[in-house]
Amino acid sequence: MRVVSTMLAIAALTASVGAIAVPAAAQSPQWQVHLLPLPDGHPDATGFVTGTDGRGNYSGMLAIEGRSVVVTWTRSRVTVWGTPEGTNFAAVWDQNKAGTVTGTALADGSGESVPFLLDGPSFRVLPLPAGYSEGSADAINNRGDVLGAVTGSDGQSKPVVWWAGRLDRPELLDVPGWGLDIDDDGTILVDGLNEPSRLFRDGKLIDLAVPAGYDHIYAHQIKNGMVIGHASSPAQPAGQGILWRTPSDPWPLQGSESTSHLNRFGLVVGREPIPTSHNGPLATWWGPNFAGRLPMPAGHNGSAGAVGEDGAIVGWVSTGPLDEGGRPAVWRLF
């Protein structure tokens, strides 16, 4: 289960990030970064952009008036949705091609995590299985299946799925660890502290092959049967970005240290290695091949939140710590 407090630690940045369009850097002429508009009256709002429908519309959360609220961008028009009734701080995790947004909010009073959807003009709080007091809605596929986690009074978490068409009947998954992502056919990517990354399909666990020369793998996301993650070994503890075309076919990504997001066509976003930090330059790959570094506004670093089927990459840029959020941004090919 994601740690909600990590993504809710949104701090206001004092540095200006300039105009809405920023020219692409010389080293990656195929990409251009655009800063997304902010809500009227909140020119310094910061946060995270973590969802896209692959059609030019985006979702995320911004820190506004001391709260983290759900925000969407539709054809560059920004809308502040607030949070589900009876909750305050909200985090957005994913969005599918129908525009449905998944997220987690904190209940007023108790502070317990509440899983929700933003579907059309209204929020929908997802029910929890009997015996569980809080949960999160972490990923959604294009047919509307929602993957998340629930936590009981004993503090133990279990992965759960709200299947499309029966969202009122959450199903607990009998798998070790927790769910990371759900593919359009219902295949679930799972991981655990003492368990390897695997696929869970038709009631069976399928191991992801460990690339030659490495001894640990850490998967992150699945799309159209492809999985991204990274591998490490004592000789390369910082890591190597990996794309699994199939569970048994891992491909190292040229010049990568890690991966974070991909789309169904094999466009991958990750980071190049640098000796002094895990926040190396944000870059792209088509399959295993390097496809260009993402340009940044002067003096800024950036982080990706999602990759759309249209090839747009959404995220945020900042002069400060990236885990505190930043100015919403989108990178597009031109």
Side-chain angles (χ1 to χ4, degrees), residues 20-38:
I20 292 300
V22 181
Q27 66 267 27
S28 54
Q30 71 272 40
W31 292 99
Q32 189 174 41
V33 59
H34 297 262
L35 303 180
L36 293 173
L38 294 170

Side-chain angles (χ1 to χ4, degrees), residues 67-70 81-92 101-108 114-118 122-126:
R67 301 172 65 217
S68 176
V69 296
V70 179
W81 295 94
T83 65
E85 184 177 359
T87 68
N88 43 70
F89 277 70
V92 168
V101 173
T102 64
T104 307
L106 301 182
D108 292 336
V114 177
F116 70 84
L117 303 180
L118 176 60
S122 60
F123 289 105
R124 174 174 181 167
V125 172
L126 293 172

Side-chain angles (χ1 to χ4, degrees), residues 81-157:
W81 295 94
T83 65
E85 184 177 359
T87 68
N88 43 70
F89 277 70
V92 168
W93 303 126
D94 201 4
Q95 184 176 9
N96 68 5
K97 68 180 183 181
T100 303
V101 173
T102 64
T104 307
L106 301 182
D108 292 336
S110 70
E112 293 179 330
S113 300
V114 177
F116 70 84
L117 303 180
L118 176 60
D119 188 6
S122 60
F123 289 105
R124 174 174 181 167
V125 172
L126 293 172
L128 303 178
Y132 291 85
S133 57
E134 56 183 325
S136 63
D138 299 331
I140 185 169
N141 64 17
N142 282 329
R143 72 183 185 188
D145 305 321
V146 180
L147 174 68
V150 290
T151 304
S153 57
D154 59 359
Q156 298 298 308
S157 294

Side-chain angles (χ1 to χ4, degrees), residues 119-329:
D119 188 6
S122 60
F123 289 105
R124 174 174 181 167
V125 172
L126 293 172
L128 303 178
Y132 291 85
S133 57
E134 56 183 325
S136 63
D138 299 331
I140 185 169
N141 64 17
N142 282 329
R143 72 183 185 188
D145 305 321
V146 180
L147 174 68
V150 290
T151 304
S153 57
D154 59 359
Q156 298 298 308
S157 294
K158 291 279 292 183
V160 65
V161 177
W162 293 268
W163 298 107
R166 43 192 172 104
L167 294 175
D168 59 336
R169 287 173 284 165
E171 179 183 332
L172 292 170
L173 300 180
D174 186 20
V175 296
W178 53 83
L180 297 173
D181 198 11
I182 185 166
D183 209 352
D184 287 341
D185 65 356
T187 299
I188 295 168
L189 180 62
V190 298
D191 201 2
L193 290 175
N194 299 309
E195 300 287 341
S197 299
R198 296 173 173 144
L199 304 184
F200 183 63
R201 180 189 299 149
D202 299 327
K204 297 179 180 178
L205 287 167
I206 302 168
D207 289 341
L208 293 172
V210 179
Y214 298 90
D215 52 16
H216 290 88
I217 57 171
Y218 312 86
H220 305 309
Q221 199 171 50
I222 183 170
K223 289 287 183 293
N224 197 27
M226 297 178 289
V227 176
I228 56 166
H230 70 277
S232 67
S233 68
Q236 193 170 353
Q240 163 69 57
I242 302 292
L243 168 69
W244 285 266
R245 292 192 305 167
T246 69
S248 61
D249 189 15
W251 284 6
L253 303 185
Q254 300 171 0
S256 70
E257 179 180 271
S258 63
T259 63
S260 61
H261 299 86
L262 84 160
N263 70 9
R264 67 187 310 273
F265 302 113
L267 174 61
V268 179
V269 179
R271 292 195 182 275
E272 299 175 78
I274 58 174
T276 58
S277 173
H278 289 293
N279 282 333
L282 203 60
T284 59
W285 288 261
W286 281 110
N289 301 312
F290 186 73
R293 185 179 295 180
L294 295 181
M296 298 290 157
H300 288 67
N301 201 348
S303 191
V307 182
E309 294 181 8
D310 58 356
I313 299 165
V314 295
W316 57 97
V317 296
S318 174
T319 58
L322 290 171
D323 61 359
E324 294 179 357
R327 176 70 186 266

